[in-house]
Amino acid sequence: MKTTLYLLLISYASTIISCTKSDDPYDFVWPVSTPSAEGLNEQMLDSAFWKADELGFVDALLVIKNGNLVAEEYYNGFNENMAHQIYSDTKSFMSVLIGIAFDNGLIKNLDKKIMEFFPEYAYPGMDSRFYDITIRHLLTMRMGIDNKEKNLLTVVKTNDWIRETFKLPLLFDPGQKFSYNSLETHLLSAILTKVTGVTALQYAVENLTGPMGIEIIQWNHDPLGNNTGGYDIYMKPRDMAVLGYMYLNEGKINNNQIVSKEWVDASLTRTWMNNGKEWGPLTDYNYGYLWWLGKINGYNLFMAMGMGGQFIINFPDLDLTVVTTTNKDISWDNDQEIPTLKIISDYILKAL
């Protein structure tokens, strides 16, 4: 299979910046076990990795059970020491960063109006409803702008993404309707920088990834220096899994309380009134604070999800975390997410 590192190389991409780990005296190391020792059928689990290889677009598949790494495989030239570009899984990292800022008193009220952070962007004739948008609306994708991809692509070709976001039409009253758009989480990144005085990347190193013993290798930013709030971090899959494991443990890892249990609970609370939605094997899906919620094979889950089948899927009742990374050529129009989820429904969960 040809070794290929698929990167989302779009003409508007800003300069990539790197960071180093904090001076924390340890790095997170996954304890290793075997599938059978953790109650998993090895033959069925092997079938999951065979299927991932057959799909061709899966770059990594990791299975963590009872806090132990029981199986992992890398494809298309990747290995455990290589970082992968991560798309909208980044939003769940942003959720945690906002939670830490909230815990630290830097954000005192999720119902604070976001225009209080951006008075410089007010302009004559501005839709007055922009003044009703709150931090909570951004966390739940209810700002009111359209979810069309062309909005994102238009905005990120400019030299001021915040300014252009506030020029988009509001199709719904703030809070009225879920409408998924990465520009909403980019506003959260800018708000985080305003309240902390540092970039989201710097705040993460000091308060999230550093204390967890993991690393964001790179994180894109806009022309003004705000890290992209909705996509484009680069991480090793093992480090991605630590975020899920920390949330499975109510915000704690290695005896460090990274984010409060109260925030974890709030961010995993459903924000839609209607249930029963289905998407492939994912059923009863819903949304919290930048985390997807639902069920597969009847098991409750919460997950970070990125374009093309990138997942950090956590099953609290099973103490199980599954991580996938995938490549995604943006010219493709086929659906990679559902086949990736079916690896979990048809093999991994049945291996229990």
Side-chain angles (χ1 to χ4, degrees):
M1 191 173 295
K2 184 179 180 180
T3 300
T4 308
L5 178 59
Y6 285 87
L7 297 178
L8 187 63
L9 298 177
I10 303 175
S11 60
Y12 60 75
S14 55
T15 303
I16 297 175
I17 59 177
S18 301
C19 75
T20 58
K21 291 184 180 179
S22 72
D23 294 329
D24 196 87
Y26 66 87
D27 293 334
F28 187 91
V29 178
W30 281 106
V32 176
S33 184
T34 63
S36 58
E38 305 306 326
L40 291 163
N41 181 291
E42 293 197 25
Q43 184 175 1
M44 184 63 73
L45 202 57
D46 285 344
S47 296
F49 288 97
W50 173 86
K51 184 63 178 179
D53 190 18
E54 181 187 55
L55 288 176
F57 54 75
V58 177
D59 292 330
L61 173 60
L62 287 73
V63 179
I64 293 96
K65 183 74 168 74
N66 302 325
N68 298 297
L69 179 64
V70 298
E72 67 178 335
E73 190 63 64
Y74 298 87
Y75 312 92
N76 303 319
F78 279 89
N79 61 54
E80 67 272 16
N81 296 314
M82 293 177 64
H84 200 289
Q85 185 182 26
I86 306 303
Y87 303 128
S88 287
D89 300 67
T90 302
K91 294 177 174 66
S92 297
F93 282 87
M94 183 56 63
S95 173
V96 185
L97 291 175
I98 294 296
I100 294 170
F102 183 79
D103 290 340
N104 291 339
L106 299 175
I107 295 175
K108 300 183 183 301
N109 186 352
L110 296 185
D111 295 315
K112 187 177 178 68
K113 307 297 175 58
I114 67 168
M115 284 305 297
E116 295 181 35
F117 297 101
F118 303 110
E120 68 274 26
Y121 288 104
Y123 58 87
M126 186 179 197
D127 189 327
S128 62
R129 293 177 297 173
F130 276 107
Y131 291 91
D132 296 328
I133 300 168
T134 67
I135 294 174
R136 193 184 307 275
H137 291 149
L138 301 182
L139 287 167
T140 57
M141 293 290 176
R142 291 176 176 270
M143 175 182 175
I145 59 176
D146 202 337
N147 65 352
K148 291 181 179 177
E149 184 181 355
K150 68 179 182 180
N151 285 338
L152 174 65
L153 296 177
T154 298
V155 168
V156 299
K157 291 176 182 177
T158 70
N159 60 9
D160 191 333
W161 299 5
I162 309 300
R163 179 193 65 212
E164 296 305 315
T165 298
F166 286 127
K167 290 183 178 180
L168 292 174
L170 292 178
L171 301 188
F172 321 104
D173 291 339
Q176 177 186 357
K177 184 177 179 179
F178 175 87
S179 187
Y180 188 90
N181 195 301
S182 291
L183 295 173
E184 300 184 53
T185 42
H186 193 66
L187 291 176
L188 285 173
S189 177
I191 289 171
L192 188 67
T193 293
K194 282 180 175 280
V195 300
T196 65
V198 297
T199 65
L201 174 62
Q202 291 170 306
Y203 195 68
V205 171
E206 295 167 7
N207 297 277
L208 176 62
T209 57
M212 287 200 301
I214 65 174
E215 183 179 16
I216 295 175
I217 305 296
Q218 299 171 335
W219 195 348
N220 276 356
H221 61 79
D222 71 11
L224 298 182
N226 298 300
N227 292 114
T228 50
Y231 54 92
D232 268 358
I233 57 175
Y234 291 72
M235 296 188 73
K236 300 173 186 176
R238 287 186 180 185
D239 284 357
M240 293 168 62
V242 177
L243 181 75
Y245 186 58
M246 181 266 286
Y247 250 55
L248 280 177
N249 287 278
E250 300 179 330
K252 182 181 291 187
I253 202 160
N254 284 350
N255 295 316
N256 282 349
Q257 192 73 44
I258 305 299
V259 66
S260 68
K261 178 183 181 300
E262 291 75 17
W263 181 266
V264 173
D265 291 342
S267 61
L268 300 181
T269 299
R270 292 167 173 251
T271 57
W272 298 344
M273 295 298 293
N274 56 321
N275 298 318
K277 294 177 178 290
E278 295 186 4
W279 186 52
L282 178 66
T283 63
D284 197 22
Y285 70 86
N286 211 288
Y287 205 66
Y289 293 167
L290 307 180
W291 286 92
W292 290 95
L293 314 172
K295 295 179 181 180
I296 294 180
N297 294 10
Y299 295 108
N300 290 317
L301 65 84
F302 63 91
M303 66 182 180
M305 177 170 65
M307 178 178 68
Q310 299 182 338
F311 294 105
I312 307 171
I313 305 183
N314 310 279
F315 296 90
D317 297 336
L318 303 175
D319 199 357
L320 174 70
T321 297
V322 179
V323 170
T324 61
T325 60
T326 59
N327 57 65
K328 177 70 173 178
D329 185 327
I330 61 172
S331 66
W332 295 351
D333 58 5
N334 61 313
D335 186 359
Q336 297 181 182
E337 291 86 357
I338 290 177
T340 305
L341 288 174
K342 286 182 68 65
I343 293 175
I344 297 162
S345 66
D346 294 354
Y347 302 102
I348 296 175
L349 290 177
K350 292 182 179 180
L352 292 171

